[in-house]
Amino acid sequence: MKVKIDFCDFWPGFNKNQNFFCNLLRRRFDVEICDGPDFLFYADPKQHAHRIYNCVKIYFGIEADLPDWSECDYAFTSHYLSSPAHFRLPYYLLTGSAALLTKGKEDWAAIMAAKTRFCGFVVSNAHPKKTRRRIEFFQRLSQYKKVDSVGTALNNTGYTLPPGSQHKQEFLKTCKFNIAFENAAIPGYTTEKIVEAMQARCLPIYWGDPRISEEFNPQSFLNYADFPSEDALIEKIIELDQDDAKYLEYMQRPYFHHNTPNATFDIDRMLNQFEKIFTAKIQPVSTRRQWLQIGRWIPVKKKKLH
């Protein structure tokens, strides 16, 4: 089956021809990237390029934004929603590999020998209100021992990590712990933060998704919500830092329940959803009641249609 698709309003440097969605869809469909698509993927609802398209629109939620059903026909986000037009696809799938997260024969001696740093911290956003919990925890844990911050925010190493998941994972391999705090604690909102630490065999200190334990084994990481207080969490970190045997107990536990990848990694399940989208006969929401639309997008849309 041939499908004509396009992408817009993604992050800078996004490659239309090589990305998670293209690589996934090519497993089952004949994919053509073109300027006149039948299906448009867009990511940032605050940008506007997607407004000029009158085809079926598929929203991919990078952050915690909910779908705007007046703008999109289908949505893939991290949320738990009951709509048949919605499919839960947490952002960590774009950087996470089920194979790398599944525990096998690990060389724990080599892994431990590489741990030359106590804790890693990689952030670019240090907003005093929105990320206050993350900043304050970094500062509190730093009172015990230096936490190496290599992001653009709160950098204390003189070295800024290059962008890209691979660079981050190589850095985290040298760390025993990683502060992996989300921007918000919303059910389902799990980003790449915890997964990148796991893939690097670095023990995540996590705060965020209150349903995280449904997808990952809660015994394989330190979940802020599982401790009665922040003091108790820090005490646990110090205990594990000072006892390699106890630290290894955590590290040797499987990340997945029963060491089996969770349902979000099911490729066929994702492709089945796309098959429903590509074969459904619908009138795109962007073509409905256009006479009610106002503003500069009407003439732009008309020009594009012709």
Side-chain angles (χ1 to χ4, degrees), residues 8-11 20-21 40-46 57-69 72 74-79 81 85-94 188-192 274:
C8 71
D9 297 336
F10 275 73
W11 50 85
F20 174 83
F21 292 105
L40 175 76
F41 291 79
Y42 72 98
D44 187 348
K46 298 179 181 65
K57 294 184 188 178
I58 303 169
Y59 168 61
F60 171 55
I62 301 171
E63 294 295 341
D65 299 287
L66 287 164
D68 180 349
W69 297 114
C72 65
Y74 299 97
F76 289 78
T77 79
S78 62
H79 295 282
L81 303 179
H86 177 267
F87 188 91
R88 184 168 181 269
L89 194 152
Y91 184 70
Y92 68 71
L93 284 177
L94 274 68
Y189 178 56
T190 311
T191 67
E192 78 289 352
F274 276 110

Side-chain angles (χ1 to χ4, degrees), residues 138-187:
F138 163 75
Q139 293 169 338
R140 282 206 64 191
L141 190 58
S142 296
Q143 293 174 13
Y144 161 66
K145 192 180 285 188
K146 183 180 180 181
V147 177
D148 289 306
S149 177
V150 295
T152 55
L154 304 175
N155 189 294
N156 62 5
T157 62
Y159 165 74
T160 301
L161 200 68
S165 179
Q166 188 58 42
H167 291 292
K168 182 177 178 181
Q169 289 180 50
E170 288 301 317
F171 165 70
L172 292 178
K173 286 178 182 178
T174 68
C175 303
K176 294 181 73 174
F177 302 89
N178 171 230
I179 299 175
F181 281 30
E182 305 287 9
N183 293 332
I186 299 171

Side-chain angles (χ1 to χ4, degrees), residues 234-244 246-247:
I234 291 177
E235 287 174 9
K236 186 64 176 181
I237 295 167
I238 294 172
E239 177 189 356
L240 298 181
D241 180 50
Q242 296 178 354
D243 190 326
D244 284 349
K246 290 183 179 180
Y247 176 81

Side-chain angles (χ1 to χ4, degrees), residues 149-272:
S149 177
V150 295
T152 55
L154 304 175
N155 189 294
N156 62 5
T157 62
Y159 165 74
T160 301
L161 200 68
S165 179
Q166 188 58 42
H167 291 292
K168 182 177 178 181
Q169 289 180 50
E170 288 301 317
F171 165 70
L172 292 178
K173 286 178 182 178
T174 68
C175 303
K176 294 181 73 174
F177 302 89
N178 171 230
I179 299 175
F181 281 30
E182 305 287 9
N183 293 332
I186 299 171
Y189 178 56
T190 311
T191 67
E192 78 289 352
K193 295 177 177 64
I194 189 171
V195 165
E196 287 175 333
M198 289 174 168
Q199 290 183 156
R201 299 303 186 259
C202 171
L203 186 57
I205 306 165
Y206 184 78
W207 177 86
D209 180 2
R211 297 180 63 172
I212 185 73
S213 62
E214 295 178 26
E215 293 180 324
F216 297 104
N217 174 14
Q219 299 300 314
S220 67
F221 61 96
L222 300 175
N223 189 352
Y224 191 106
D226 290 342
F227 290 83
S229 67
E230 191 170 277
D231 288 339
L233 171 57
I234 291 177
E235 287 174 9
K236 186 64 176 181
I237 295 167
I238 294 172
E239 177 189 356
L240 298 181
D241 180 50
Q242 296 178 354
D243 190 326
D244 284 349
K246 290 183 179 180
Y247 176 81
L248 268 173
E249 281 184 26
Y250 267 88
M251 295 300 295
Q252 291 172 342
R253 294 166 182 164
Y255 294 132
F256 294 122
H257 294 284
H258 310 295
N259 208 28
T260 301
N262 64 51
T264 63
F265 286 93
D266 187 336
I267 299 298
D268 285 335
R269 183 168 164 268
M270 294 183 225
L271 288 172
N272 289 343

